[in-house]
Amino acid sequence: MAFAIDNEIKDRVRSSIDIADLLGGYMQLRRQGANYVGLCPFHEDRRPSLQINVARQIWKCWVCDLGGDVFSFLMQKEQLSFPEALAMLAERAGIELPKPDGKRTISVDNKRELFGTMAWVVAQYHHCLTNDESAQAARDYLAQRGINQESIAKFKIGFAPPQWNWLCDRFAATNQPLSLLDSVGVVAKSDRGSTYDRFRGRVIFPIADPQGRFVSMGGRLMPGEPDNQAKYVNCSETRLYQKNQQLYGLDIARHAIAQSRTAVVMEGYTDVIMANQFGIPNAVAVCGTALGEGHLRLLKRYCDQVILLLDGDIAGRKRANEILELFLGHSIDLRIVTLPDELDPCDFLLQRDVEPLRDLLSNAVDALEFKVSDLLGDIDPYQDTHRANVALEQVLELLAKASGKTDNSNDSTSLRLDQIVLRLAKRFGLETSLLRGRLAEHRKKITQQQKVRAAMTREKTKNVESHQTRSANDPLLLNDFLNDSSSESFEQASPFSVSTQPIAYKDLSAVERELFEILVQREDLVPLALERFDEQLLPSEAGKSLMRVYVECDFRGLDLDFNSVMGTIEDARMKSLLVSIESHASAKNARLLIDARERLLSLSETFSQVDLVAEQHRRMKMLESNDLDDSSQMQLLQDVLQAARENKTWKLPESL
């Protein structure tokens, strides 16, 4: 996977991208000395476990064991191949990549093409709204809703004319395939197979990801249109867009959210736009779905508190009741506000101004209090004990279910659960010991259910062997080297490396770990290592692959230092492995008293036995096969005995 693209181009792009700036677009980073730390976006991270080494321009998560450089981060986060990641970073850096054949290859699987297509679509609809005569009714509608010109430009609001093929015809004129429009979800197909515009006669609200790249859009039907049409139409889910992973307006609001550490989540596009106009810049909206796990994981990168601002109708209150489990299952302060008089945030701001809304937001109650109040209604828990008990059991069941999703060994999580139990005890006038007992019973039931599911999973995967973690300080024994479990087959990485199991440091044998730890820190010893270590004799496929990278670098006359070797690799999994090796090497370096050259020579002596032992095993198999005549068998046996006497590290089988 190395050297498919010219190394000079990769180096130019990599050196032009600041890794902290790139990763900072996906998570909130905190300075730690000369480096940065942040919540890892590749697992449910509660404490910052992703570290960025600014000097080496690499990143590493110690929990999920992923790491690499700017290329591998983008590949894993955006599900890109290396060429796609290179193209996107080159565009970010303003570097024009050469086109060897002078032609542009268009692919619906290329994310860069899809982002470009969606940006073109947004520009067409926005230009139509701001310039086309046919969009006058849409401009009037937005003005009536109180949306000003600044907001139209800021949110790139557009208009889709009522014609069935307005967008398709314009796109066809660019000589690009209509399949690109289909891949971003802005067209549909009839029963006869013809393609037509998905959005017609609608105001368009583009949806961007946190980095400001357009990924989808929603279309609002113009007032006065027939009632048999849906009021809102959204893009279908695509490779760019999954509605439970996106929030409308987050690209505009994320800096304000990170600064205030609070996000205000609304339900509609116009709600967010109006909130911005009235000076509430940390507002975002869900995209045609309920607030879910994916949204909270996304928001936790930027803030500690989420205020869910819901419409004041019955449906709004129902949605509020459905999100309690989210509050209990995540270490985030989730609060709820329901607006009065069945108003939505947009109308509330237009009718009552911003200060009353600020007051409501500042007095928002947390999700648990909201749920308990809704369950109890007007009843007195000290008088109507039956209804109070029913309400309490519902809350405890939810609490047990949600806490089962968390790491209960986490101090902050345990403290939070204790605080919830104390609040419930006060609210219902009960002893905390009683509530903890009932909570334990609910947890026990859930644990039993989890054990059954786990047993079923183990039964399905009982033939899958797992690698056994080994200490980096184990003695480098020849038998360990020959028989290490990491000699199991190693799958070649797919272009979208995040979908495959990462290559872990422990997947290398003890000798391979020691070897590569020396090489990442001492580039001057790489030529010596290449002379003494045959890549084909390394026991793991991962080790062979990494050694081939060093061989190719040396053959091409490239630098052999860590950064240069990292830059040549195009496989995200191999990049992650190299970062793990470097991290372990740096941690061990201060404790080692033996010079790196002496370590390498000692390792070479161990490694030199591999040829002999492999030959002895081959000879033994020939003897056991009984395919030789008596004379040949005797001669081969003598050779085996002589070799065993000369090399005491290999023992004869007891049968001899």
Side-chain angles (χ1 to χ4, degrees), residues 5-17 19 22-23 42 57-59 67-90 97 495 497 563 566-572 575:
I5 299 172
D6 185 82
N7 208 54
E8 182 180 353
I9 295 172
K10 291 187 284 189
D11 282 342
R12 282 183 59 208
V13 173
R14 181 167 55 89
S15 61
S16 300
I17 300 294
I19 191 168
L22 176 70
L23 271 63
F42 300 114
Q57 289 290 291
I58 58 175
W59 60 277
D69 56 8
V70 289
F71 295 114
S72 59
F73 181 86
L74 206 57
M75 290 166 70
Q76 307 231 34
K77 190 70 185 72
E78 297 284 359
Q79 294 278 282
L80 303 175
S81 65
F82 184 86
E84 288 178 313
L86 177 68
M88 290 181 67
L89 290 176
L97 297 180
S497 301
N563 285 333
M566 170 70 77
T568 66
I569 298 173
E570 298 177 11
D571 183 339
K575 285 178 179 287

Side-chain angles (χ1 to χ4, degrees), residues 331-349:
S331 55
I332 194 166
D333 182 9
L334 183 59
R335 297 179 172 271
I336 298 174
V337 172
T338 54
L339 294 173
D341 302 327
E342 299 189 3
L343 293 172
D344 61 30
C346 180
D347 289 334
F348 186 94
L349 285 166

Side-chain angles (χ1 to χ4, degrees), residues 460-474:
K460 292 179 181 178
T461 59
K462 63 181 179 180
N463 294 324
V464 179
E465 297 181 0
S466 61
H467 294 299
Q468 187 174 11
T469 304
R470 303 184 56 186
S471 168
N473 296 320
D474 283 348

Side-chain angles (χ1 to χ4, degrees), residues 25-26 78 114-115 118-119 122 153-157 204-218 234-235 240-243 245-254 269 272 283-287 295 298 301-302:
Y26 292 87
E78 297 284 359
L114 300 183
F115 280 126
M118 183 56 76
V122 169
K154 186 176 185 178
F155 288 88
K156 290 292 184 292
I157 302 172
I204 300 299
F205 297 94
I207 300 168
D209 67 9
Q211 287 69 52
R213 300 170 301 191
F214 293 111
V215 296
S216 184
M217 58 182 56
N234 298 298
C235 282
L240 298 183
Y241 171 69
Q242 297 80 43
K243 62 184 179 181
Q245 303 288 332
Q246 298 286 351
L247 288 164
Y248 178 73
L250 184 57
D251 57 316
I252 294 171
R254 66 186 180 96
Y269 305 129
V272 171
V284 294
V286 291
C287 301
H295 300 124
L298 181 62
R301 301 175 194 170
Y302 306 101

Side-chain angles (χ1 to χ4, degrees), residues 8 22 43 65 77 105 170 266 288 293 357 365 394 403 411 527 589 599 602 608 641:
E8 182 180 353
L22 176 70
H43 74 281
D65 200 26
K77 190 70 185 72
T105 301
R170 284 174 170 256
M266 303 178 175
E293 299 256 354
L357 182 59
V365 298
Q394 289 185 41
S403 62
D411 292 340
N589 196 44
R599 289 165 57 199
S602 175
S608 66
L641 292 171

